[in-house]
């Protein structure tokens, strides 16, 4: 087996000042492949070009991304949100769905402009999170859930049920477990109550409903009400938690980077969608804190270039995107939208492996939400910057949460922005 990084732990087991820096220090000391003992678990980290390519090529049935993600999320979320689901987040992107989501985004942006008014100050990441909640709940939560009191109740509940806390604040998960997830279960009950009301409203409407909420409701149509209503609500809850975990954080960083670069911001404000998409890719790349992991279900071989390791079942194989994305070539730590051409790096051939740098993953492990995410980020960036002159009021470039290890970075500090309507 590879060398073991003694004294290095992961933030759900030990206190660390900076989770990514701790792994970077282990890499500097032990090389591109090493193991970490985390409580009773074993992680094999790989960063070599061959090792990363082998990592992405692992068969899901033997080294599962889905199981690894589930094991992470269940640190935060009640088990009942996973049990018995009939419509999963993988159902989000059926043909025609993206167009309806973008229509709901346009409506959510209009509502956001109404809330903002002509001028004021707002926390940038709070703004993008609220926008994401409104778009998502309009898309799959049933009638009335994206407005008024139902919307406010759901936002409050989903802030408590934020599954990304498992990797944004992994150091807090021991307290969540010690409480028996009491706050999370109370929030889930509130989600169920609101969605049940929306479902009854939908029941009284004879119009055919082929959107995602309609498909969820149809999947439970044969069950008695006491089963059907809760089943629909839990399907909606899991879809919303899964879909909102990273998109609006990435949008927040894209706006941060544009506000730090006034000339590119002007170009986006003028409606250059192709350039805005490249900005979105570049900001997402730099904002990554993702630990990409595979739970080993059956022994697998991992070729790291120098050695082929036989990794036993029960281990986790991992790599860390913030280290790969900024170290694969000189200059990768700076923000430069021109390094992208469409969805790909313009000069990927210069890398030791094109898989060393990514915003949305590679191959069969690419994020299925990438086309929608880029379209949504582009639409929101061009509209918000086209509508408002924004002035950042943070003293320094925002910091990620130090303990975070997974997903797109969340900010450790408030990010206030002054805004005034153009014209």
């Amino acid at each position: 087996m590879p060398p073991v990084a003694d004294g290095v732990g992961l933030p759900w087991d030990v206190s660390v000042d900076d989770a990514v820096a701790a792994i970077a220090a282990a890499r500097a000391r032990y090389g591109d492949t090493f193991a970490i003992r985390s409580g009773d678990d074993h992680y094999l980290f790989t960063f070599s070009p061959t090792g990363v390519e082998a990592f992405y090529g692992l068969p899901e049935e033997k080294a599962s991304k889905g199981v690894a993600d589930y094991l992470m999320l269940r640190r935060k979320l009640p088990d009942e949100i996973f049990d018995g689901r009939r419509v999963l987040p993988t159902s989000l992107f059926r043909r025609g769905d993206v167009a309806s989501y973008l229509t709901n985004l346009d409506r959510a942006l209009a509502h956001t402009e109404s809330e903002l008014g002509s001028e004021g100050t707002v926390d940038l990441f709070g703004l993008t999170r609220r926008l994401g909640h409104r778009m998502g709940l309009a898309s799959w939560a049933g009638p009335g859930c994206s407005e008024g009191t139902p919307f406010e109740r759901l936002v409050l509940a989903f802030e408590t049920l934020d599954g990304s806390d498992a990797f944004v604040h992994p150091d807090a998960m021991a307290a969540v477990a010690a409480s028996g997830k009491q706050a999370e279960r109370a929030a889930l009950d509130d989600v169920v109550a609101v969605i049940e009301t929306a479902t009854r409203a939908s029941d009284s409407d004879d119009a055919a409903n082929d959107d995602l909420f309609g498909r969820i409701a149809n999947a439970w149509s044969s069950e008695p009400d006491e089963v059907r209503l809760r089943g629909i609500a839990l399907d909606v809850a899991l879809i919303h938690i899964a879909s909102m975990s990273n998109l609006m954080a990435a949008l927040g960083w894209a706006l941060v980077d544009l506000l730090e670069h006034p000339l590119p911001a002007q170009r986006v404000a003028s409606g250059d969608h192709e350039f805005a998409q490249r900005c979105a890719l570049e900001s997402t790349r730099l904002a990554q804190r993702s630990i990409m992991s595979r739970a080993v279900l059956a022994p697998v071989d991992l070729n790291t270039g120098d050695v082929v390791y036989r990794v036993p079942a029960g281990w986790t194989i991992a790599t860390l995107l913030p280290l790969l994305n900024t170290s694969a070539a000189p200059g990768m730590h700076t923000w430069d939208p021109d390094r992208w051409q469409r969805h790909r790096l313009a000069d990927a051939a210069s890398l030791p492996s094109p898989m060393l740098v990514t915003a949305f993953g590679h191959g069969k492990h690419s994020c299925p939400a990438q086309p929608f995410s880029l379209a949504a980020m582009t639409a929101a960036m061009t509209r918000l910057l086209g509508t408002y002159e924004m002035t950042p009021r943070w003293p320094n470039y925002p910091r990620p949460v130090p303990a975070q290890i997974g997903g797109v970075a969340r900010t450790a500090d408030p990010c206030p922005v002054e805004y005034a309507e153009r014209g």
Side-chain angles (χ1 to χ4, degrees), residues 5-9 16 18-32 34 36 47 320 323:
D6 291 327
V8 179
V16 294
D18 187 316
V20 171
I23 302 300
R27 183 187 182 190
R29 180 176 179 183
Y30 295 98
D32 277 342
F34 54 89
I36 288 178
F47 296 96
L320 200 60
L323 300 186

Side-chain angles (χ1 to χ4, degrees), residues 56-78:
Y56 280 111
L58 291 170
E60 177 70 14
E61 66 273 13
K62 290 187 176 181
S64 174
K65 178 182 184 298
V67 171
D69 290 347
Y70 165 71
L71 292 174
M72 180 79 77
L73 288 173
R74 72 189 296 267
R75 297 174 188 270
K76 168 69 174 178
L77 297 174

Side-chain angles (χ1 to χ4, degrees), residues 9-14 38 41 43 72 75 166-167 170-174 291 405:
L10 295 176
W12 40 82
D13 294 313
V14 297
S38 176
D41 300 322
Y43 285 75
M72 180 79 77
R75 297 174 188 270
F167 50 80
D171 48 334
M173 292 305 102
I291 178 174
I405 184 167

Side-chain angles (χ1 to χ4, degrees), residues 131-161:
L131 174 63
H133 281 308
R134 196 180 296 278
M135 178 199 68
L137 294 171
S139 298
W140 45 71
C145 287
S146 61
E147 298 177 357
T149 299
F151 174 68
E152 301 300 342
R153 286 180 65 187
L154 288 172
V155 167
L156 187 62
F158 279 119
E159 290 296 304
T160 300
L161 279 169

Side-chain angles (χ1 to χ4, degrees), residues 27-152:
R27 183 187 182 190
R29 180 176 179 183
Y30 295 98
D32 277 342
T33 304
F34 54 89
I36 288 178
R37 296 189 184 97
S38 176
D40 295 329
D41 300 322
H42 294 80
Y43 285 75
L44 188 157
F45 279 88
T46 187
F47 296 96
S48 70
T50 302
V52 171
E53 289 179 357
F55 170 84
Y56 280 111
L58 291 170
E60 177 70 14
E61 66 273 13
K62 290 187 176 181
S64 174
K65 178 182 184 298
V67 171
D69 290 347
Y70 165 71
L71 292 174
M72 180 79 77
L73 288 173
R74 72 189 296 267
R75 297 174 188 270
K76 168 69 174 178
L77 297 174
D79 288 344
E80 53 264 35
I81 203 170
F82 300 104
D83 296 339
R85 303 282 54 78
R86 297 188 181 180
V87 180
L88 297 170
T90 52
S91 304
L92 274 165
F93 300 106
R94 202 181 71 167
R95 184 184 297 275
D97 283 344
V98 168
S100 70
Y101 302 158
L102 292 175
T103 297
N104 287 326
L105 173 62
D106 189 63
R107 293 170 180 159
L109 284 164
H111 205 121
T112 297
E113 291 171 358
S114 177
E115 288 184 336
L116 290 175
S118 60
E119 61 182 8
T121 302
V122 67
D123 181 81
L124 187 58
F125 286 85
L127 172 68
T128 61
R129 283 180 67 83
R130 187 170 175 85
L131 174 63
H133 281 308
R134 196 180 296 278
M135 178 199 68
L137 294 171
S139 298
W140 45 71
C145 287
S146 61
E147 298 177 357
T149 299
F151 174 68
E152 301 300 342

Side-chain angles (χ1 to χ4, degrees), residues 213-243:
F213 178 76
R215 302 201 303 269
I216 294 170
N218 187 61
W220 293 89
S221 60
S222 63
E223 301 291 347
D225 266 5
E226 63 269 19
V227 174
R228 180 178 73 96
L229 294 172
R230 184 171 178 83
I232 291 169
L234 293 181
D235 278 5
V236 168
L238 184 58
I239 283 171
H240 191 69
I241 290 166
S243 65

